[in-house]
Amino acid sequence: RDRDVHVVPIPYFGGIAMLAGVTAAVVVAMQLSFLGRSELVRHDVGSVLLAATVICLVGVLDDIFELGALTKMAGQVLAAALVAQGGVRMLWIPLHDRIIALDTAASIAITVFFIVLCTNAVNFIDGLDGLAAGVVGIGALAFFTYCYVLTIEQDLMRATTSSLITVAIAGVCLGFLPHNFFPARMFMGDSGSMLLGFLLATSTISLTGQIDPSSLTTNAGDLIPAYLPLALPLAVLALPLLDLTLAWIRRANAGRWWFVPDKQHLHHRLIDRGHSHPRAVLIMYWWSALISFGTITFGLTGSWIVVAAVVLLAALFAVVNRRRPAVQRTPDSTLAG
């Protein structure tokens, strides 16, 4: 394609391997007594796996036939609707003075919108070898850490769908990276990038359905812990969502549809500023880890010192990496596009 740089054919169905890895992790987990005996986890994970298979199939078809944007989004909506129909839905939203329960229609609509948003955000950021797998893997580890610490601190049930899915995502990304990091020997394709975004979104939504939001408030008027299950995925996917937003603005200003591809994503801009391919990916890793784990630490401790430390580290890192000498791209560069 015009927006690709690699000239050597690369295997393109890493997403199928990822789906197989997640499925294997779930099958093994269901044999563990503390997970397998939880009827809620078994039911929710079954719904998520069914929908994940659909989203992966849509990605495979898109990789082969270059589906139109509307057709591709219809597949994403179908997968999200399957999850919502299976009961994995956003059930409540915290306000400044209370937590409100969502009715069925609002719950399904918000769930589908959120899943489609996260799915496309990760799909957009899949443009450099190892980038999407690393960023999502870091985010999944961060969310798993939050889920586990939360269950300990709030004395909640530790067998949650969210913990299982996020640790499975982290394992899949870790297993895929040796094959995908620069120079890549395999691409995840849309089947993989959409699968990762979909799973990360569903893990977040499932958490809101398995915890009592009122138990998360430490005192009257303090809703930071209650906001965190909803805010954390936005922090975890901060870079992909920022890239998605900037792409929408950029393409709208140019008079193009938001789904028309280009080579002006954040990772492309890092390359254009002179960073090497691996360095650009590692910079994105750093920002993802800083935002994800910084948000978790603040949410669990409530200390503004954490925020100050994150801002300071971000400023120092920005200064250190503000300029690099121009680097000439080589013909065998393997940008995923």
Side-chain angles (χ1 to χ4, degrees), residues 123-139:
N123 186 224
F124 267 50
I125 205 174
D126 181 30
L128 295 180
D129 297 351
L131 180 57
V135 168
V136 173
I138 291 170

Side-chain angles (χ1 to χ4, degrees), residues 194-272:
M194 291 199 302
L195 175 68
L196 291 180
F198 174 85
L199 289 175
L200 204 55
T202 52
S203 68
T204 301
I205 293 169
S206 69
L207 183 64
T208 68
Q210 294 182 17
I211 59 177
D212 179 6
S214 62
S215 68
L216 298 179
T217 57
T218 55
N219 52 66
D222 181 9
L223 286 176
I224 290 178
Y227 277 116
L228 204 57
L230 303 179
L232 188 56
L234 301 181
V236 166
L237 293 173
L239 290 183
L241 289 173
L242 175 62
D243 198 27
L244 179 66
T245 303
L246 292 177
W248 185 87
I249 295 173
R250 181 175 63 248
R251 294 165 186 177
N253 286 337
R256 302 198 306 269
W257 286 103
W258 65 273
F259 49 77
V260 177
D262 58 33
K263 293 178 66 174
Q264 299 183 52
H265 293 288
L266 294 176
H267 45 274
H268 291 132
R269 292 176 183 272
L270 286 172
I271 296 288
D272 292 338

Side-chain angles (χ1 to χ4, degrees), residues 1-334:
R1 301 175 302 186
D2 292 339
R3 66 182 188 275
D4 292 336
V5 175
H6 66 281
V7 295
V8 178
I10 305 292
Y12 212 55
F13 290 133
I16 298 177
M18 288 180 164
L19 178 63
V22 171
T23 303
V26 169
V27 170
V28 171
M30 290 300 98
Q31 308 310 310
L32 304 177
S33 59
F34 75 100
L35 280 172
R37 70 187 179 196
S38 172
E39 189 62 34
L40 181 59
V41 172
R42 294 177 68 91
H43 175 271
D44 286 359
V45 168
S47 299
V48 170
L49 270 184
L50 173 63
T53 302
V54 172
I55 201 74
C56 187
L57 178 60
V58 172
V60 169
L61 293 175
D62 183 51
D63 288 331
I64 296 176
F65 301 110
E66 290 280 349
L67 299 178
L70 292 180
T71 304
K72 187 175 176 180
M73 180 165 288
Q76 297 170 355
V77 171
L78 172 62
L82 286 174
V83 168
Q85 182 63 31
V88 182
R89 301 198 297 262
M90 196 83 73
L91 299 179
W92 48 266
I93 292 180
L95 299 180
H96 71 284
D97 58 349
R98 66 188 186 279
I99 295 174
I100 61 172
L102 298 172
D103 60 35
T104 302
S107 175
I108 292 176
I110 293 175
T111 297
V112 171
F113 173 78
F114 183 77
I115 291 176
V116 171
L117 177 68
C118 293
T119 299
N120 282 288
V122 176
N123 186 224
F124 267 50
I125 205 174
D126 181 30
L128 295 180
D129 297 351
L131 180 57
V135 168
V136 173
I138 291 170
L141 280 175
F143 202 83
F144 171 75
T145 302
Y146 168 72
C147 293
Y148 190 74
V149 172
L150 179 69
T151 57
I152 295 175
E153 287 195 347
Q154 301 288 336
D155 195 25
L156 304 173
M157 182 181 293
R158 300 183 188 180
T160 64
T161 308
S162 183
S163 296
L164 173 57
I165 294 176
T166 50
V167 80
I169 296 172
V172 163
C173 290
L174 185 62
F176 187 68
L177 269 176
H179 306 281
N180 187 236
F181 200 79
F182 183 83
R185 291 173 293 162
M186 178 180 289
F187 290 152
M188 67 174 66
D190 280 4
S191 59
S193 60
M194 291 199 302
L195 175 68
L196 291 180
F198 174 85
L199 289 175
L200 204 55
T202 52
S203 68
T204 301
I205 293 169
S206 69
L207 183 64
T208 68
Q210 294 182 17
I211 59 177
D212 179 6
S214 62
S215 68
L216 298 179
T217 57
T218 55
N219 52 66
D222 181 9
L223 286 176
I224 290 178
Y227 277 116
L228 204 57
L230 303 179
L232 188 56
L234 301 181
V236 166
L237 293 173
L239 290 183
L241 289 173
L242 175 62
D243 198 27
L244 179 66
T245 303
L246 292 177
W248 185 87
I249 295 173
R250 181 175 63 248
R251 294 165 186 177
N253 286 337
R256 302 198 306 269
W257 286 103
W258 65 273
F259 49 77
V260 177
D262 58 33
K263 293 178 66 174
Q264 299 183 52
H265 293 288
L266 294 176
H267 45 274
H268 291 132
R269 292 176 183 272
L270 286 172
I271 296 288
D272 292 338
R273 286 176 65 86
H275 295 288
S276 67
H277 190 134
R279 185 181 180 87
V281 171
L282 293 175
I283 288 174
M284 300 283 276
Y285 285 1
W286 164 260
W287 282 109
S288 296
L290 187 64
I291 297 172
S292 301
F293 284 97
T295 303
I296 288 176
T297 306
F298 172 70
L300 294 175
T301 65
S303 174
W304 288 97
I305 296 177
V306 174
V307 178
V310 169
V311 171
L312 179 60
L313 287 172
L316 289 174
F317 189 74
V319 170
V320 170
N321 291 278
R322 67 186 185 278
R323 288 183 181 178
R324 306 295 301 176
V327 175
Q328 182 67 36
R329 292 180 182 174
T330 56
D332 60 345
S333 296
T334 52

